[in-house]
Amino acid sequence: MNEEKRSTAANALIWFGAAVSIAEIYTGTLMAPLGMARGMAAVVAGHLIGGFLMYLAALIGGLSGRGAMESVKLSFGEQGAKIFALLNVLQLVGWTAVMIIGGALSLGLILNPLLGTTNLLWCGVIGLLIAFWVMLDMKNFERVNKFAMAALFILTVVLSFVVFSRGETEAVSGTMSFAEAMELSVAMPLSWLPLIADYMRDAKEPRRSAAVSTLFYSVTSCWMYFIGLGVAIYTGGSGVAQIMAEAGLGMAGVAIVLFSTVTTTFLDAYSGGISFHTLFPQIKEKAAAVAVCALGTYIAATARQESYEGMLYLISSVFAPMASVMIVDFFILRENYAERSICLRNVALWAVGFAFYRLLLTVNCPFGATLPVIAATMLLTWAAGKLFPRK
């Protein structure tokens, strides 16, 4: 998809599509024990933190003209970047499978009673559509994506009306602290940190594209979380597909599930291909992306859906300290290790940030884990850069 420069509007549409996701709606339902007002506050607070890192990661890709894993080389070196490329491929195959499973379950809930089909069929349909999105060239991709985004916008407005017009609230069981909810909120934008530069490297206007893309994603993602909160609080359930079916949305509900799953999961598969290309340059990006899609589809068709709260926390613990090191290196220390094999200093700083995050998960920190980890890792990176500058 890098045959020509991509406009700011095209990037904004891509990240709008990334945010309209059944997974984000479902994550919003988990925050229902907080109530609507506190739940919404936690969502906004988490997205402010995650969006800040997402914007700077996008800006690094846009200003350097490098994809996500090529940008990582600037701070961690050739071999150091391969560590994160491998971790990124693994998380993206996992996300591809999770998204396909979620989409297939939702489609099945709406269509299986009518057609007598099974979820296995919908896994295959979604997988094929994602592969089709990957194989489009730039011109056709933008044309198809504009149509898909227009449809998604209209349909999600309808879904919002259906959910929030219920009026009566239901009792929601369970407990969740504000900090825990904030961590679930910040995890979604953090999951895009190792991807967003792949779409900024070809931006016509890097600074503008980074800002607009982050804004579109953050606002739309909050909207999806709010829908999830509404589903749980106003209906007492967690199945958005069931709500759509009960509301008689019919094919409109099918379109919401299908388009949102494909446009979000496309980013996972495509960036997984780019990261795989970093590990094995002889394999072309699109071919690797189709392979990621195929593997994710296979896992989705053969595995059971599990709670992914643990996966969200793991993603944050890996990529929040990684991005913190990169931001200080690029914008403050202005160091470049791309030509080196590995920068052990920065790998060690990342490891400290990772361990600190995992430690904070075991204590009841009122600020959550991500914000202290970002602050501590940035401070340590700046101090290490001053004490042990590059020779």
Side-chain angles (χ1 to χ4, degrees):
M1 285 192 20
N2 56 355
E3 294 89 347
E4 57 185 84
K5 292 293 184 180
R6 188 181 294 113
S7 68
T8 299
N11 272 322
L13 287 177
I14 287 173
W15 290 99
F16 169 79
V20 179
S21 162
I22 296 296
E24 308 215 13
I25 294 174
Y26 173 72
T27 308
T29 67
L30 301 177
M31 302 178 182
L34 283 178
M36 202 68 197
R38 293 187 72 219
M40 292 174 77
V43 169
V44 172
H47 278 75
L48 286 174
I49 298 168
F52 171 71
L53 288 184
M54 190 175 175
Y55 166 70
L56 293 177
L59 199 55
I60 291 173
L63 295 178
S64 66
R66 292 169 171 261
M69 290 302 110
E70 288 295 316
S71 298
V72 174
K73 290 180 183 178
L74 295 173
S75 292
F76 295 96
E78 180 82 27
Q79 299 305 315
K82 289 184 177 180
I83 298 171
F84 297 102
L86 177 60
L87 292 171
N88 196 37
V89 170
L90 292 176
Q91 75 128 346
L92 292 175
V93 169
W95 265 120
T96 300
V98 166
M99 294 299 297
I100 292 174
I101 290 172
L105 286 172
S106 297
L107 284 178
L109 188 62
I110 299 171
L111 293 176
N112 287 350
L114 299 174
L115 304 178
T117 50
T118 66
N119 293 342
L120 185 63
L121 171 65
W122 306 123
C123 285
V125 169
I126 293 170
L128 286 173
L129 283 173
I130 296 166
F132 169 75
W133 239 255
V134 168
M135 295 305 298
L136 289 172
D137 59 35
M138 174 62 71
K139 187 177 295 185
N140 287 327
F141 172 81
E142 291 195 7
R143 188 180 298 120
V144 172
N145 211 46
K146 283 178 182 177
F147 168 77
M149 293 309 102
L152 269 182
F153 178 76
I154 294 170
L155 292 170
T156 46
V157 169
V158 174
L159 177 60
S160 300
F161 177 78
V162 168
V163 171
F164 291 105
S165 63
R166 297 272 174 139
E168 296 293 328
T169 60
E170 300 279 344
V172 179
S173 60
T175 58
M176 176 170 285
S177 69
F178 186 88
E180 289 173 328
M182 193 169 68
E183 284 303 307
L184 288 178
S185 176
V186 77
M188 281 298 185
L190 287 186
S191 71
W192 297 112
L193 288 183
L195 284 74
I196 192 167
D198 291 334
Y199 305 90
M200 294 299 116
R201 62 179 180 174
D202 302 316
K204 290 179 182 178
E205 304 169 287
R207 293 181 185 275
R208 184 184 173 100
S209 282
V212 172
S213 296
T214 304
L215 180 63
F216 264 63
Y217 172 80
S218 298
V219 171
T220 310
S221 180
C222 287
W223 180 13
M224 295 302 106
Y225 272 74
F226 295 162
I227 290 175
L229 269 171
V231 166
I233 291 173
Y234 291 111
T235 71
S238 62
V240 66
Q242 184 175 353
I243 301 304
M244 289 188 286
E246 291 174 358
L249 288 181
M251 292 308 298
V254 171
I256 292 173
V257 172
L258 196 58
F259 277 140
S260 65
T261 303
V262 170
T263 55
T264 301
T265 315
F266 151 76
L267 298 179
D268 296 324
Y270 185 70
S271 285
I274 294 174
S275 293
F276 197 84
H277 175 74
T278 300
L279 294 169
F280 302 99
Q282 67 273 22
I283 300 177
K284 294 186 180 298
E285 292 176 355
K286 282 191 175 182
V290 172
V292 169
C293 176
L295 181 57
T297 303
Y298 173 77
I299 294 172
T302 57
R304 293 183 178 181
Q305 186 181 31
E306 303 292 342
S307 171
Y308 59 88
E309 289 179 62
M311 186 176 80
L312 293 180
Y313 291 136
L314 181 60
I315 288 169
S316 296
S317 65
V318 170
F319 295 114
M322 181 200 79
S324 300
V325 171
M326 291 174 60
I327 288 165
V328 173
D329 254 9
F330 189 87
F331 293 106
I332 300 176
L333 299 176
R334 299 187 182 279
E335 294 183 339
N336 184 341
Y337 295 94
E339 303 304 320
R340 289 193 179 186
S341 174
I342 191 169
C343 178
L344 292 175
R345 183 196 76 191
N346 284 345
V347 172
L349 289 166
W350 166 79
V352 170
F354 175 83
F356 186 37
Y357 188 102
R358 304 308 298 182
L359 174 65
L360 287 177
L361 285 181
T362 65
V363 300
N364 188 21
C365 178
F367 303 105
T370 303
L371 194 58
V373 166
I374 292 170
T377 307
M378 285 185 170
L379 182 60
L380 286 174
T381 303
W382 174 80
K386 294 300 183 182
L387 291 173
F388 308 103
R390 180 180 178 184
K391 296 181 181 178

